[in-house]
Amino acid sequence: MSESFVAAEIASQPACWRRAAEIGAAGLGVGAGESVAVVGCGTSWFMAMAYAALREAAGHGRTDAFAASETPTGRDYDRVVAITRSGTTTEVVDLLRAFADRVPTTVITGVAGSPVTAVADAAVVLEFADERSVVQTRFATSTLALLRASLGEDLTAAVADLEAVLARPVGDLASVEQITFLGRGWTVGLANEAALKLREAAGAWTEAYPAMEYRHGPISIAQPGRATWMFGAAPEGLADEVAATGARFVAGDADPMAQLVLAQRVAVAMAAARGLDPDNPRSLSRSVILADA
Ligand code: F1P
């Protein structure tokens, strides 16, 4: 079988991250101290979660992340930032309309001239990171690279970690029966995204939680043949508790965004092992465009 689009897109991430980081370092136009709502759907929502946690932790001001459909439109945010690769997702377009003329809006999208660019006050277009595969990989991580750089982060080490992840064999994680992804702070969004990736590309059973929530029930799923995969530093004692269940505990020192790329690769390997085409996931389309109610 020829290489999938998604596999090629995953491999192209180093150049995309570098370019996105350059754009982000020049500034996003989101003022320090502004109270911001960051919104998106699916993968884009999870990138919004990661950015919101990073921005607030970095002291740039209150930052809330919402699924576009669940955003409280009555709140007095100073700005709304929307993320959408396609620029056509109905809930995102509707939300930007709901805030129009009241709250300044900025959209990050992969498509110039897409419907969101007509409704948002400002648009950052990452055409170089757009994708042919339905399953998002490089647009999402490039967007987060841009956002991290806009907060003043230097992504040089993250790109080096990414290159190391891409150079290594993917390993045997694609053969485990079930994976639960965990994160803390900004990596909660990454854990959610990794879990979504395996569901989308491979129809796999995955779950995702904030790491401290794992002991509050979800650990009962852990058993031999399954894995618990921590993004970022694990809470004290958690690795031993997982090991006691017989499940495999996966963790690493690489930049968590590079670890997400390993999960993307596991998703593609798992799809191949199951005879699935990761570019054409079951029941999914590039974006969800709803008919007028
Ligand atoms: C959002 C999204 C994708 C998902 C699916 C439907 O798209 O939820 O993340 O993979 O194909 O749409 P977008 O708003 O970022 O274009």
Side-chain angles (χ1 to χ4, degrees):
M1 203 163 63
S2 62
E3 188 183 57
S4 57
F5 292 127
V6 69
E9 286 154 3
I10 288 169
S12 72
Q13 287 174 104
C16 290
W17 289 17
R18 282 196 195 94
R19 208 162 152 188
E22 260 174 49
I23 297 168
L28 184 63
V30 179
E34 281 187 356
S35 129
V36 175
V38 202
V39 306
C41 297
T43 290
S44 295
W45 173 34
F46 297 140
M47 296 303 107
M49 280 172 69
Y51 170 59
L54 279 171
R55 182 174 183 270
E56 194 154 319
H60 289 248
R62 174 178 174 163
T63 317
D64 298 326
F66 299 105
S69 55
E70 299 296 336
T71 307
T73 50
R75 289 194 190 165
D76 286 331
Y77 287 106
D78 295 323
R79 180 175 305 274
V80 172
V81 175
I83 302 171
T84 169
R85 175 181 69 175
S86 62
T88 56
T89 298
T90 301
E91 296 97 308
V92 177
V93 177
D94 286 352
L95 187 74
L96 290 171
R97 280 207 185 101
F99 279 106
D101 304 326
R102 198 158 53 83
V103 175
T105 57
T106 302
V107 68
I108 303 172
T109 182
V111 184
S114 57
V116 282
T117 62
V119 242
D121 297 310
V124 179
V125 183
L126 305 182
E127 268 182 312
F128 60 88
D130 196 10
E131 294 158 303
R132 289 185 70 173
S133 181
V134 166
V135 172
Q136 289 201 35
T137 55
R138 74 179 182 195
F139 177 76
T141 59
S142 299
T143 296
L144 192 53
L146 178 150
L147 291 166
R148 288 174 71 180
S150 78
L151 297 174
E153 255 198 83
D154 177 356
L155 289 223
T156 310
V159 175
D161 285 351
L162 166 64
E163 284 173 330
V165 158
L166 291 173
R168 274 199 302 270
V170 70
D172 60 355
L173 277 164
S175 60
V176 301
E177 184 199 10
Q178 189 277 337
I179 305 182
T180 297
F181 293 92
L182 305 177
R184 295 209 72 183
W186 73 287
T187 67
V188 174
L190 301 190
N192 276 296
E193 169 57 7
L196 179 67
K197 223 65 313 175
L198 270 75
R199 289 196 289 272
E200 286 183 332
W205 172 23
T206 56
E207 309 211 352
Y209 302 94
M212 292 300 285
E213 282 295 305
Y214 189 57
R215 297 175 175 108
H216 295 276
I219 193 169
S220 59
I221 283 174
Q223 65 177 45
R226 300 180 181 171
T228 303
W229 185 336
M230 179 74 213
F231 285 169
E236 184 77 33
L238 193 67
D240 290 341
E241 286 168 61
V242 171
T245 70
R248 179 164 163 189
F249 188 73
V250 182
D253 295 336
D255 183 278
M257 226 161 67
Q259 292 182 47
L260 171 60
V261 173
L262 178 58
Q264 294 172 347
R265 296 186 65 208
V266 169
V268 172
M270 219 179 240
R274 295 174 179 209
L276 299 171
D277 173 4
D279 286 330
N280 290 297
R282 191 168 61 177
S283 316
L284 298 181
S285 53
R286 174 172 158 86
S287 78
V288 175
I289 303 172
L290 302 171
D292 286 346

